[in-house]
Amino acid sequence: MAEVTFLEGLRQGLREEMERDERVFILGEDVGAYGGAFKVTEGFQKQFGESRVIDTPISEAAIVGAAAGAAHLGMRPVAEMQFIDFISCAYDMLTNYVATARYRAGLPTPMVVRGPCGGYVRGGPFHSQNPEAAFFHTPGLKIVYPATVRDAKGLIKSAIRDDDPVLYLEHKWLYRRIKAQIPEGEEILTPIGSARIAREGKDLSIVTYGATVWKSLEAAEVLEKEGLSVEILDLRTLLPLDDEAILKTVKKTNKVLIVHEDTRTGGLAGEITARINEKAFEWLDGPIMRVTAHDVPLPYAPTLEDFVLPQTDDIVTAARWLAGY
Amino acid sequence: MAEVTFLEGLRQGLREEMERDERVFILGEDVGAYGGAFKVTEGFQKQFGESRVIDTPISEAAIVGAAAGAAHLGMRPVAEMQFIDFISCAYDMLTNYVATARYRAGLPTPMVVRGPCGGYVRGGPFHSQNPEAAFFHTPGLKIVYPATVRDAKGLIKSAIRDDDPVLYLEHKWLYRRIKAQIPEGEEILTPIGSARIAREGKDLSIVTYGATVWKSLEAAEVLEKEGLSVEILDLRTLLPLDDEAILKTVKKTNKVLIVHEDTRTGGLAGEITARINEKAFEWLDGPIMRVTAHDVPLPYAPTLEDFVLPQTDDIVTAARWLAGY
Amino acid sequence: MPGSTSASKAPPIPAGLNRDQLLEIYRFLRLTRTLEERLTALYKQSKVIGGLFRSLGQEGESVASAYALERGRNRDFLSPLIRNLGSLLVMGGKPLQILRQYMAKDQSPTRGRELNVHFGDLEMGFLGQISHLGDMVPVMAGITLTFKMRREARVGLVYIGDGATSTGAFHEGLNFAAVQRCPLVVIGEYNGYAYSTTPERQFAVKNLADKAKGYGIPAVTVDGNDVLAVYEATKYAVDRSRMGKGVHFVEVKTFRMKGHAEHDDQHYVAKADLERWAKQDPIDRYRNQLLTNGWAEEQDLKDIDNDVRDEIDQATDACVNEPLPPPESALTGVYADPPAAERLWFRGMNG
Amino acid sequence: MPGSTSASKAPPIPAGLNRDQLLEIYRFLRLTRTLEERLTALYKQSKVIGGLFRSLGQEGESVASAYALERGRNRDFLSPLIRNLGSLLVMGGKPLQILRQYMAKDQSPTRGRELNVHFGDLEMGFLGQISHLGDMVPVMAGITLTFKMRREARVGLVYIGDGATSTGAFHEGLNFAAVQRCPLVVIGEYNGYAYSTTPERQFAVKNLADKAKGYGIPAVTVDGNDVLAVYEATKYAVDRSRMGKGVHFVEVKTFRMKGHAEHDDQHYVAKADLERWAKQDPIDRYRNQLLTNGWAEEQDLKDIDNDVRDEIDQATDACVNEPLPPPESALTGVYADPPAAERLWFRGMNG
Ligand SMILES: Cc1ncc(C[n+]2csc(CCOP(=O)(O)OP(=O)(O)O)c2C)c(N)n1
Ligand SMILES: Cc1ncc(C[n+]2csc(CCOP(=O)(O)OP(=O)(O)O)c2C)c(N)n1
Ligand SMILES: [Mg+2]
Ligand SMILES: [Mg+2]
C-alpha cells in the first residue's frame, strides 16, 4: 500500500469517478494539455479524450454557467478554477443561477466547482484566498473542505455523486505536504455533511477545517505535554454544518476554540459560535473563542503573511488561556 | 418643516453633496434620463448635466471598476445598482480590486456603491436580496444600512465624504413607507461606525438594522403592554460594527436577541453573537438568540415570502421566550 | 371549400411552410397577444403579483424564431426572456401555466417561487431565465455543448436584448460557445431600449450583428416585425447549427411598444417612433400577408381569434381563484437531500 | 564626432523620432531584459519570493507602446500587465523598485504586500494590475473618463493578453469606454499563449483586432517585435485619442519566448516556433536597424549596455540584503480611518 499525497488522493478520486461514470467531465483553464496549474488532472486528457477534459477560455462565469447547463441535462461536470481566488468572477453565476436552480425551478444541477485555495505559500492577496465565507451564505450550495488524503479522495467522489452543486476547496499547502497510505481497491466515499474527530480529548475542543486541522494537531501535541487534553473536530463539510458533531464535542469538553485560516470578521467561526450558543449555552464553562487570520487582505512578504495568518503557537496560546478560564 | 420620505431624504443627501462638491458624480443604469428605477436621482441630470449623471450600459463590473478609476484620481463617484441583487455581477471588482486598493497599493478609492435592497415587497428571489453578508467579509470596504429618513440622508452624505469605498444599502420597503420631518438648513452627517439606540429599554436588547428595526419597534410596543421593556439598537453601520454600543446594551439588559431580514446561516448575527460571546460572556443571563429569514432563496408568492421572512410576531414570540429564560 | 380553392390560386408559401403551419403561427401570435391583454386586465385588478412585462410589437420575432426549432419531447431547446412569452408558448408552455405564474398560484410551475416566464420544462425544451441579464448565454452554451458531446442532433436557441449584450456573461458565454462550436443560435433583440436606455448609450456599433464579428460567428440582421423573414433567417441558422457548423447570430430589428413594464409610462419614447412602429405591427402585417396572398380566409383567422379567446377565458376561470401556495411549502426543495430546510425555532412556539 | 557624421549620412528616422529618442528606447529595451535576467539569477538563488514572470520577446512592444505616451508628472497614464515590465520602466518605474517588489522588501513600493509589477504611481501615471485578468480595463475606462470629464488632454493606455480578452471584465470595460468615447488606447498582446492555451482554444477569430469591430472602435494589427512599427501605431492611436476621437485598439503580434512563469518548462510549445521567433527577437532586430541605418554606432549601444548593467548591479547591491517588512506593519492602511486593523487577542499574550 503506497503512500500518496493529498493531491494524488484527489486525482485518484477524480479518475475513479470518470472511469465509473461517463457523464462526468472536466472543464477549466489549462486542465487538458497542461494538466492543470497544479497538475491535478495531469494525463486525464490523454486517458479520457478532449471532449471529457476541456480546455476553456479564461471565462470563469462561462465555465460555471456551462457546467450548470450540462448538469441540467444529466451530465456531471467538474469545473476547475485555476486558483479559487478567481471564483469571484463567477460569484453571480454560482450564487444566483446554480444554487437556486433546484429551488426556483426544480432544476437538478449536480456539478462540482473545485480549485486550490489557502495561504501559507507566499501567494499574496490573489493566490491565497479562502472563499468559503462568501458562499457559506448560499442556500442550495454545499461546501466541502478536506484536510486529509483520504477525505481529499472521498469527498471529491461524494461531491461528484451528489445531486446538488458542491464547492470543493483544496488547500494548496496540503497538496504535497500531506501524505498517507490509502488502500488500493477500497471505494472511499466520505459522507457530505459529517465531521470527523481528528483527535480525541477531554479538556477542550478545537473546531476547525482545512490546513488549520494540522496546525491544531501540532498545538495539541504541545499542550498534551502540559497535561492539557485537546479534542479536535475536523468539519470536512462546511455547508451544511454537522451540528450534531459540534454539539457532541462541546458537551464533552465544555470549552470551545474555533480555528480557521480565514479572516475573523464574517468568517465561519461566527456562525458556529451562534449555533453552539443557541443549542448548548448551559454547557459552556467559558466563552467560545476564535483563532483566525487578522482582518486584512493577505500580504505577500513572509513576515507579513506569517503575522496575519493563525500559527500553531497562536492556537497553543489561545488554548492555554481558555483552559485556564 | 415638511415631512419627507426615506427616499426623499436619500435624494436630498445626494443632491446636497453634488451641489457642495463638483467631484461628486453619479453613474448607473437609467439614472439619468429616467432618474433611476425608483426615481432616486429624478431631475439630477437636468440639474447637474449629462457628464455628472451618466447613463451606463448594463455592465455592473464596468460601473464599479470605472468608479474606482475615477476615485483614484480624486473624484467622488456614486455608482447605482438598479437593484442591489445585481451587485453580484461586480463581486470580483468590489472585493478584489476596490476593497484592497488602499492596502495593497496605497490607492485612495473614495466611492459609494448604492442600491435598493430587501424584501417584503413580492420581488421574488432576484429583486429582494440583502447582500451585506457577502461583503461583510471584506476588509477595506465599509457598509452602511440606514433605517430612518434622517440616516438615509446623513449616511449617504457621510459615505460620499468618506475616504474609503462604502456600500450603501437602501431598503426599498422603507422608500416611501417611512416619513419624517428633517430640518431644512441642517447639515446632517451620520457618523459611519456608530449605532443608534432606536428605543430605550431595560429587560432585553434587540440588535438589528434596516427594515427589521421597524418590525422590532412594533414588537416592542406589544411587549411593553406585557410589561417587558425592550431596548433596540439600530446598527446603521454594519462594517465596521460598533462593538462599544453593542456591548453597552448587552451589559445593560443581559439578554440579546439579534434580528435580521437576511437568511440565518452566514448572516451577520453569527459575527455579532461571536463578539458578544467573546467580550461579554459573563454578562449573559441567557443565550444570544437569532430571529432571521429561513435558509432558502426568497420566494415570490406572498404566502411564501411572509413565511420565510421574519415578522413582527416572530420577534414578539422570540423576545417573550428569551425574557422568560 | 373556399380555403383550398383560394389557396390553389395563391402564390407559393415561402420558407417551406405549408398552410397549416401558417395558421399555427398565426394562432401562436394571437395567443401571445390575447394572453398579455388578459394579463394586463388582471394586473389592473391587482390580481397579478409584482410587475407585468409586455412584448407588444415583439410577438412576431418571438413566435417565428421559436417556430424554427424542432419541437416535442427531447428535441430542440430554448431559453426565453421576459419578452419572449410567444417563444415559450410555441415550445409548449400553456397559458394556464403563465396565468398561474403571474398570480403566484400554488399550481404554478414554480409553485409560486418565481415570477412570470421564469420557469421551464427540460423535456419540452425550454429553460426559464433568471433576472440577471446575460446569464442564460453561458448556461445555453452548456446545454448545447452537451448536445454536441452526446452527438445528439439538437439545437439550442437563446435570446439576448440589445442592452444585455453589454454584460460580461453574454461575452463569456458567446465566446465559449463559439470556440466549442456549440449548436447554438443567438437571437439578438434590437428593440430600441434597455429600460430607458437607447442603443447609442449602450454600445458604439450600429447593429447587434456587428458584435458577432468579434466571436468569429456568422450573423444576419432581419426585420423583426416580419414574421416570415424572422422564421426563414432563424430556420437557416438552426439548420446550419444542426449540421455542426457552430454558433449563428440572428439580429431582429423591432421596437418595444410599451414601457419596460406596466408601471413605466415610457415618457422618454418619442410619440413619432411609436406611431411609425404601430404601423409595423407584426401581427397586423402577418394577417394581411395571409389574406392578400390568399393563404388564409378572413373566416379562418376569425375562428382562430375566437378559439384563442375561449382558451384564455377558460384558463383564466380555471385558475383565477386558485389558492396561493401553503406557507410551509417554502421550506422544501432547496436540496435533493435534505428534502426540507429547518423550520426556525421561533415559529409555531405558542408565543 | 562619429555619431553625428554617420547620422548625417543615415536615412531619415521614421515616426518623428530623433536619435536621442532612438537610443533612449534602446536603453529601456536593454534595461528590461537585463533586469529580468538579473531577476532570473536571483530567482535561482531563491531570493525572489513567489513566481517570476518573463517578458522575453515582448520587451519591444511593451517599451515602444509606452514610449508613445507623454510622460512626466500628471501626464499620460498606463496600466501594465505582468509582461509589461518594460512599459513600467518607461513610465518611470525604477529597477530598484522592481527588485524590491520581487524580494518583498520593506522598502518596496507596496511594502511587501503585493508581488512583482503589481504596484503603481498615480503621479508618474502607472497603475498596478491585480491578478484577476481583465479588471484593469474597466478601471482604466474610469481613469480616462475622468480625463474627459475634467477636459484634460491626457490619454490612458491599457494592455490585455490574448487570453484575457475572454473575460467579462474586458468586454464590459471596453464597451463602456467605447460608448463614453474615453481617451483610451488598448494594446492587445497576441503572444500565442494563455498559460498553455492557444488562441484557437481561446477565441474563434483570427486576430484580436477582429474583436474591436464589436465595440465600434478602430483597430490595427502590427508586428509586435518591430519596435518602431509598434511605436508608430501606438503614437497614432494616442494622438487620435488625445484629439477626442475615443478608444483605439492596437494589436501586437508577438510570441512568449518563456513559459508562463519560470516554473513552466513550456513543453507544450513547438521547438520550431521558438526557433523561428528567436530570429525575430525585438531587441536584436532594433539593434541591427539602428546600426545598419547608421542611426547609432556599435559603441553607443555598448556604452548603454554597460550603463544598464552597472545600474542594475548597483540596484541589486542596494537592496538584496534589505530587511523584509516588520510583521506588525501588516495591520496598517486597510482604511484611511481607522489607521490600523485590530491586533487579535491571542497575539502578544504571554502564552
Ligand atoms: C445584470 C443585470 N443588470 C441589471 C438588470 C436590471 N434590468 C432588468 S431589464 C433591464 C433592461 C434590459 O434591456 P434589454 O436587454 O434591451 O431587454 P429588453 O427589456 O429591451 O427586452 C435592466 C437594466 C438586470 N436584470 N440584470
Ligand atoms: C480571471 C482570471 N482567471 C484566471 C487567471 C489565471 N491566469 C493567470 S495568467 C493566465 C494566462 C493569461 O494569458 P494572457 O491573457 O494571454 O496573458 P499572457 O500570459 O500571455 O501575457 C491565467 C489563466 C487569472 N489571473 N485571472
Ligand atoms: Mg432592448
Ligand atoms: Mg497570451
Side-chain angles (χ1 to χ4, degrees), chain B residues 29 58 60 82 86, chain C residues 83 131 133 161-164 191 193-194 260:
Chain B
E29 295 150 17
I58 302 172
E60 284 74 16
Q82 192 159 84
F86 307 123
Chain C
R83 291 185 220 291
S131 297
L133 295 168
D162 43 16
N191 68 350
Y193 288 91
H260 175 61

Side-chain angles (χ1 to χ4, degrees), chain C residues 13-192:
Chain C
I13 300 170
L17 291 165
N18 63 40
R19 186 168 175 284
D20 295 344
Q21 291 174 307
L22 290 183
L23 292 178
E24 190 181 23
I25 289 172
Y26 177 77
R27 188 174 192 293
F28 282 124
L29 292 168
R30 181 59 61 197
L31 192 62
T32 306
R33 181 161 299 178
T34 309
L35 177 53
E36 283 193 3
E37 285 163 350
R38 176 58 49 87
L39 285 166
T40 307
L42 293 166
Y43 177 84
K44 297 217 173 94
Q45 303 160 36
S46 14
K47 292 219 165 72
V48 164
I49 293 161
L52 172 60
F53 298 79
R54 293 293 307 269
S55 67
L56 188 67
Q58 297 183 230
E59 302 95 337
E61 44 106 347
S62 294
V63 167
S65 53
Y67 201 78
L69 295 175
E70 287 182 7
R71 290 164 290 146
R73 305 211 170 288
N74 303 316
R75 308 300 295 274
D76 291 342
F77 206 102
L78 69 71
S79 180
L81 294 171
I82 194 88
R83 291 185 220 291
N84 301 119
L85 175 59
S87 318
L88 197 151
L89 294 169
V90 169
M91 296 305 285
K94 297 270 161 273
L96 181 58
Q97 293 178 303
I98 310 293
L99 288 159
R100 285 171 165 161
Q101 279 291 112
Y102 266 100
M103 294 189 280
K105 301 296 191 182
D106 185 35
Q107 299 286 316
S108 70
T110 64
R111 288 150 55 218
R113 290 162 180 217
E114 251 282 32
L115 306 81
N116 52 60
V117 299
H118 291 206
F119 72 98
D121 183 326
L122 289 176
E123 247 187 39
M124 295 306 292
F126 59 97
L127 187 65
Q129 69 165 120
I130 67 167
S131 297
H132 294 66
L133 295 168
D135 284 8
M136 300 315 293
V137 180
V139 175
M140 286 302 296
I143 295 270
T144 50
L145 177 69
T146 304
F147 294 161
K148 191 180 153 226
M149 288 192 290
R150 292 179 177 165
R151 297 199 174 63
E152 298 173 341
R154 300 168 69 183
V155 174
L157 186 148
V158 67
Y159 295 88
I160 192 80
D162 43 16
T165 59
S166 299
T167 62
F170 165 76
H171 174 68
E172 292 195 4
L174 183 53
N175 183 64
F176 182 102
V179 171
Q180 293 295 328
R181 299 180 63 78
C182 297
L184 178 66
V185 173
V186 181
I187 307 290
E189 298 177 301
Y190 191 115
N191 68 350

Side-chain angles (χ1 to χ4, degrees), chain A residues 263-317:
Chain A
T263 44
R264 181 189 61 166
T265 299
L268 266 62
E271 178 67 28
I272 297 165
T273 301
R275 292 190 182 195
I276 295 170
N277 176 275
E278 284 162 1
K279 299 186 176 132
F281 182 70
E282 301 290 346
W283 294 80
L284 293 172
D285 291 346
I288 300 157
M289 298 302 285
R290 296 181 287 181
V291 173
T292 67
H294 290 74
D295 282 336
V296 303
L298 193 64
Y300 154 65
T303 47
L304 302 181
E305 184 181 32
D306 291 345
F307 180 86
V308 171
L309 293 180
Q311 307 295 339
T312 301
D313 287 351
D314 299 322
I315 302 169
V316 171
T317 309

